[in-house]
Amino acid sequence: MDIRVQAEPFDAGAELNRFAARRGDSGAVVTFSGLVRDDGGLRHMEIEHYPGMTAKALTEIAERAQARWDLRDVLVIHRHGKLRPGEQIMMVATAGAHRAAAFAAADFLMDYLKSRAPFWKKEVTGDGAEWVAAKDTDEAALDRW
Amino acid sequence: MTLDVLYFAWLRERIGLPRERVETDAATVADLVAELTAREDRYAVAFQDLKALRVAVDQELTDFDAPLGTAREVAFFPPMTGG
C-alpha cells in the first residue's frame, strides 16, 4: 500500500508504470485521476486538509478496500494547496489478480475519498472565492457499499 | 481538561482562527459546542447548524453526542470534499 498526501504535482503516467511493476502477480490495474475542472472563470482551486488526520483516514479507507476485495496493491496520491485548472488533484490505483476486484475497489475508494477524507476545496474565480459544498449524492453513494 | 480545538474550511474563516487551546469540563462534543457558542457571536453563528458540520475526536470521525473522555484534540469542519 502506498498513500501519499503532498502539495507537489505528480506524473500520473510514471506513477501508473511504477505501480504496475511493483507486483508481478497482478493481472489487472485500474487507475482513476481527478483533475481540476475549468467550468469557465476558475482561476485556481485551494485544497485544505487536516494534516494530523489525512494520511490516517486514507490508510483506513485503503485497508477497508483491501479487506473487502482480493487486491495485490493500492495507491492513493492526493494533493493539497493551490492547483490550477487542468492539474491533477489526486489518483488512485488498484491492482488485483482480475479486473472485477480492481474496478470495484477503485470505485469504492473514490466514493470514500470524496466524503470521508478530510479535504476541503475552495474555488477562486474573478468574482471571489467559494467553498465547494458537499453533495447529498456523495453521501448517498456510500450506501452502495 | 485542556483540549486542542481545530477548525477547517469555512468554519475556520468564520471563527477566525485555525486552532485554539480550550480549558473545559465538557463531557461530550455537544457540551463543548455549547460552551463555545456561549462565548461569542462568531462561534454561535458558525455552529448554528450542526447538521452542516462534522466532528473528529483525536482524528477519528464521530458524532456530536460522543463523549470526550480523555480526548486531546477535537476538530470541527464542514462535510469533506475530497477526491
Side-chain angles (χ1 to χ4, degrees):
Chain A
M1 188 192 297
D2 185 0
I3 308 288
R4 281 179 257 161
V5 182
Q6 61 186 55
E8 302 73 33
F10 59 90
D11 179 339
E15 294 295 347
L16 163 61
N17 290 334
R18 196 174 310 142
F19 180 75
R22 267 158 64 112
R23 291 282 299 254
D25 56 351
S26 306
V29 169
V30 168
T31 69
F32 173 87
S33 297
L35 314 175
V36 180
R37 181 178 53 234
D38 186 2
D39 284 338
L42 180 72
R43 282 190 183 161
H44 66 266
M45 185 172 265
E46 281 165 21
I47 301 180
E48 181 170 329
H49 78 120
Y50 181 176
M53 178 177 166
T54 314
K56 206 161 83 173
L58 294 177
T59 302
E60 280 172 14
I61 293 168
E63 282 170 353
R64 282 183 68 167
Q66 283 189 315
R68 182 150 171 188
W69 288 280
D70 181 18
L71 300 175
R72 302 288 188 258
D73 208 352
V74 176
L75 167 71
V76 179
I77 304 174
H78 203 305
R79 293 177 64 196
H80 57 86
K82 188 170 169 176
L83 284 79
R84 299 194 177 283
E87 281 193 63
Q88 307 253 5
I89 301 173
M90 51 83 58
M91 81 180 275
V92 301
T94 53
H98 304 285
R99 73 177 188 276
F103 268 119
D107 207 9
F108 169 93
L109 286 169
M110 285 314 305
D111 278 346
Y112 271 83
L113 289 183
K114 274 227 165 284
S115 45
R116 290 290 183 274
F119 291 97
W120 299 274
K121 295 192 185 103
K122 188 184 208 177
E123 291 178 342
V124 181
T125 66
D127 298 330
E130 206 165 319
W131 290 99
V132 175
K135 299 188 193 81
D136 291 342
T137 49
D138 293 342
E139 193 64 34
L142 300 186
D143 295 341
R144 293 201 287 148
W145 310 106
Chain B
M1 70 182 149
T2 308
L3 283 176
D4 283 318
V5 181
L6 283 65
Y7 310 105
F8 291 96
W10 61 254
L11 195 68
R12 168 179 57 72
E13 292 178 340
R14 215 159 284 182
I15 290 169
L17 72 176
R19 66 189 300 152
E20 61 185 320
R21 196 150 272 195
V22 174
E23 201 56 52
T24 179
D25 295 318
T28 65
V29 173
D31 292 344
L32 175 64
V33 171
E35 279 183 20
L36 292 170
T37 54
R39 274 180 170 185
E40 278 180 60
D41 274 357
R42 60 192 166 118
Y43 291 95
V45 170
F47 285 105
Q48 207 163 31
D49 181 11
L50 291 188
K51 282 193 215 62
L53 295 176
R54 302 287 180 267
V55 60
V57 172
D58 288 339
Q59 301 160 3
E60 293 282 349
L61 284 171
T62 185
D63 301 317
F64 281 85
D65 55 10
L68 288 173
T70 56
R72 308 186 62 138
E73 186 172 295
V74 178
F76 296 104
F77 39 80
M80 295 155 274
T81 51

